[in-house]
Amino acid sequence: MADAHYTRYARRFTSALQVAKLAGVSRSAVSRAFTDGASIAPETREKVMQAAQALGYHVNDLARGLLARRSRLVGIVVTKPEEGIRAQLLAALTARLIRRGSVPIVLNTGLTVEERASAQRILMGHMAEAVIVLSGSPPSSFVEAARRNGQPVIVLGRSEPDTDHLMANNAAAGRTAAALFHGRGFTRLGLVSSWAGTLSLTEREHAFQDEAQRRGLAVIVGRGEVSDYESGVTAAKALLDRQSPPQAVFCVNDLLALGLIDYARRERRLTVPENLSVIGFDDIPQASWGAYRLTTFRQDPVVTADQAIRLIEWRQAHPDLPSVTHVIEAPLVLRETAVPAPGFCVGEQAPHRRRRR
């Protein structure tokens, strides 16, 4: 019984030759029937399609792409894909690629040397049309390996040499957060970040601190090891257990903000925003939950995915032009954890423009 079960699931895929025999046509006729624009009589094509449906036959797109030295595969390299904005970006990218007719390959780099080496071997073992590298922890070796392999590389929220980039307007967000707090009359500000030191996070940090300093406001910084909820709790302890805690805090992502809010309420018995104003960044789904109602800057995953596809297609059409960076605006989403003073102009800072690198 076990042998019969194994045999049932170990059968080979239906071949084009089997379809040809059932339809009573040549093997080449089957190929032409499944090739757009190929010359084939309508009655012959109908025979082939009926035979293919009866046998459950589908064209092997991977094999066809390898023979033609063209690929519809697009690699997406990501670390901790389940966390924060990365989950929404991954969902939007895969959906957009599938609608385009591409085949997304998601490579979770893992956290160990062995896991990363395995993921890199898989990436290099497929002739991907392009590679998209998400922000965060994927090492630069993935980018370099893809470039050496002749694959267009799009990086999101990070900086790599000789690659095309998509960035949120982090600096405008940081400046806007400081301006909003200043408009409410707060003088002691907090900044929650992590030791990860990625480009996106540091841009938000520096812009917030620079704008606060320009307005004569003090900024206290709290950091966690990484950019997750638990690190938000860790940073909250450093900020809120002080003798003079901040009145308002800008968190460089929403997960950190949620950890901060929960610690403030549970351990310090603070109410938000009456005792503490909080602004995040990303607008992940949890930010709109009733328990938080977080004011934050929105990274729209669908807009980002669309821009990534456009950038891939632009690079394929212009392979010899210098690398470019597209900056995507991150609008402020006003909810309950921080509200501006009357007359505050959201977006008072000039947006960044696309720049060549």
Side-chain angles (χ1 to χ4, degrees):
M1 190 70 175
D3 289 342
H5 177 82
Y6 173 79
T7 301
R8 183 176 60 180
Y9 286 100
R11 291 182 302 178
R12 295 175 62 85
F13 290 112
T14 302
S15 69
L17 183 58
Q18 289 173 291
V19 175
K21 287 181 178 179
L22 181 60
V25 300
S26 66
R27 169 66 179 79
S28 62
V30 175
S31 179
R32 292 197 304 275
F34 285 94
T35 301
D36 291 339
S39 176
I40 183 172
E43 59 272 17
T44 303
R45 186 179 186 279
E46 182 62 25
K47 289 180 182 179
V48 170
M49 292 304 171
Q50 288 180 0
Q53 184 175 7
L55 295 172
Y57 172 77
H58 295 276
V59 174
N60 188 330
D61 287 329
L62 179 58
R64 176 176 285 188
L66 291 173
L67 288 172
R69 298 193 64 79
R70 289 183 290 107
S71 173
R72 293 164 59 195
L73 305 178
V74 175
I76 303 175
V77 180
V78 58
T79 301
K80 293 186 176 180
E82 72 281 3
E83 283 191 357
I85 190 63
R86 289 188 292 274
Q88 281 69 54
L89 281 174
L90 191 58
L93 282 167
T94 52
R96 181 65 179 82
L97 287 166
I98 289 169
R99 287 200 304 272
R100 180 178 181 254
S102 300
V103 181
I105 300 179
V106 179
L107 293 170
N108 183 347
T109 66
L111 300 175
T112 68
V113 173
E114 293 77 13
E115 289 171 331
R116 288 173 174 171
S118 296
Q120 189 165 317
R121 282 195 299 271
I122 292 171
L123 178 63
M124 295 302 98
H126 293 77
M127 297 196 322
E129 175 186 6
V131 175
I132 301 171
V133 181
L134 272 60
S135 62
S137 304
S140 296
S141 59
F142 280 86
V143 178
E144 179 59 27
R147 288 178 54 247
R148 287 200 310 268
N149 211 33
Q151 298 164 329
V153 182
I154 311 298
V155 296
L156 274 58
R158 54 189 287 159
S159 180
E160 299 288 348
D162 301 321
T163 57
D164 297 318
H165 297 72
L166 281 177
M167 298 289 297
N169 198 338
N170 300 303
R175 292 193 296 269
T176 298
L180 187 152
F181 288 152
H182 179 253
R184 295 297 302 182
F186 299 127
T187 57
R188 298 192 313 277
L189 306 186
L191 172 67
V192 169
S193 189
S194 75
W195 294 108
T198 63
L199 177 63
S200 292
L201 302 190
T202 55
E203 283 188 346
R204 293 166 206 167
E205 287 182 34
H206 293 162
F208 179 77
Q209 290 174 304
D210 289 347
E211 185 67 20
Q213 183 179 24
R214 189 178 74 81
R215 294 169 181 265
L217 308 177
V219 178
I220 309 164
V221 181
R223 297 185 188 277
E225 188 64 28
V226 291
S227 305
D228 61 6
Y229 176 91
E230 290 301 329
S231 289
V233 173
T234 299
K237 293 177 183 178
L239 292 181
L240 303 182
D241 291 357
R242 300 168 59 94
Q243 187 172 1
S244 297
Q247 301 158 304
V249 180
F250 174 49
C251 301
V252 295
N253 77 16
D254 287 349
L255 287 178
L256 293 168
L258 303 188
L260 170 82
I261 290 171
D262 283 346
Y263 181 83
R265 289 169 171 167
R266 183 179 61 247
E267 302 298 332
R268 304 304 302 172
R269 299 295 188 265
L270 299 175
T271 57
V272 179
E274 290 80 7
N275 303 132
L276 179 69
S277 287
V278 182
I279 298 177
F281 192 104
D282 282 334
D283 197 24
I284 61 176
Q286 294 92 326
S288 66
W289 289 2
Y292 298 106
R293 300 295 300 158
L294 177 66
T295 292
T296 186
F297 295 92
R298 177 165 175 76
Q299 286 203 84
D300 191 319
V302 174
V303 170
T304 302
D306 285 342
Q307 289 287 354
I309 301 304
R310 291 192 188 101
L311 197 49
I312 288 173
E313 293 172 348
W314 180 86
R315 174 53 61 195
Q316 290 172 335
H318 305 89
D320 299 322
L321 291 183
S323 59
V324 297
T325 293
H326 286 262
V327 177
I328 302 173
E329 296 307 312
L332 181 63
V333 179
L334 291 171
R335 296 195 181 97
E336 296 174 9
T337 61
V339 293
F344 177 80
C345 180
V346 176
E348 61 186 26
Q349 304 291 342
H352 287 190
R353 300 182 184 276
R354 190 180 80 177
R355 61 185 185 275
R356 296 193 180 279
R357 297 176 65 87

